[in-house]
Amino acid sequence: MTMPGMNHGATMNGRLETLKGKAFDRTFLSMMIVHHQGAVDMSKTVLNTLKDAQVKRWTVEIISAQQKEIGEMNTWLGTLGGVDKSVQTEMTGEMKNMVTALKTNKDSDRGLVEGMLPHHASAIDMASLALQKSSDSRVLGLAHDIIRSQADEMYAYRQWLIKRGF
């Protein structure tokens, strides 16, 4: 399944590639807040319709972990000049498209798992840029954690799909 709204990679990463220092950190965090909120919204959209216990656990974990990170990132942005609203506005529309696509999927479990694969892949792409360009140890730590945890989740999602013949 191709998820609408995941075309931001080249455009948004292109914007990140031109920045460095605090400007990079501010833009990255502003983008990642919306990206994380998209995952939370996707998860909440299907939580009550999921049938598979493992997918439910993943969904609850996504909501918990990403809400915690959103809070941290909002706090950090206070020291970096605040949220970049233009970046957030651009990404918000794309994340809403993903939620809309998920709402129309007849198999919530499969839809969420398949939708999280490209969603996590784009987070890993952004976090990889942060490891290259950030000047803030908090951002570097967050980027490292995103790459590690979301790559592990993608592996588990693929295994889940394979076992079910998808």
Side-chain angles (χ1 to χ4, degrees):
M1 176 175 90
T2 301
M3 283 301 277
M6 291 314 302
N7 63 350
H8 69 272
T11 304
M12 298 305 281
N13 284 351
R15 181 178 296 173
L16 282 174
E17 287 175 357
T18 66
L19 302 172
K20 60 183 178 181
K22 283 187 176 185
F24 174 89
D25 294 330
R26 179 177 179 241
T27 301
F28 170 78
L29 292 172
S30 296
M31 289 170 58
M32 194 55 75
I33 287 169
V34 175
H35 197 272
H36 273 21
Q37 188 61 52
V40 169
D41 293 345
M42 288 171 65
S43 298
K44 286 182 174 181
T45 294
V46 297
L47 183 59
N48 294 326
T49 63
L50 297 172
K51 295 176 176 76
D52 187 280
Q54 178 60 61
V55 177
K56 260 188 195 178
R57 276 191 297 279
W58 286 332
T59 303
V60 169
E61 290 167 4
I62 288 168
I63 293 167
S64 175
Q66 296 205 6
Q67 284 181 328
K68 178 181 177 276
E69 288 179 356
I70 288 169
E72 292 170 348
M73 290 185 282
N74 275 315
T75 298
W76 300 342
L77 276 167
T79 64
L80 297 169
V83 172
D84 182 335
K85 296 280 188 194
S86 66
V87 168
Q88 286 197 329
T89 299
E90 186 176 340
M91 283 198 75
T92 297
E94 295 177 15
M95 294 299 114
K96 284 183 181 178
N97 290 339
M98 294 177 66
V99 171
T100 300
L102 191 54
K103 285 180 182 178
T104 62
N105 196 309
K106 293 182 194 318
D107 182 343
S108 297
D109 295 283
R110 180 179 178 187
L112 182 73
V113 171
E114 287 181 339
M116 281 299 162
L117 286 166
H119 190 270
H120 279 9
S122 65
I124 290 169
D125 289 345
M126 292 187 321
S128 293
L129 281 173
L131 288 180
Q132 297 172 57
K133 299 176 102 13
S134 179
S135 60
D136 187 306
S137 62
R138 300 168 299 184
V139 173
L140 290 169
L142 174 67
H144 175 263
D145 291 346
I146 288 169
I147 292 167
R148 189 184 69 243
S149 66
Q150 293 193 15
D152 287 347
E153 289 169 9
M154 289 175 71
Y155 174 78
Y157 299 162
R158 288 298 309 149
Q159 293 295 327
W160 185 89
L161 289 165
I162 290 167
K163 285 180 184 174
R164 281 145 189 86
F166 300 128

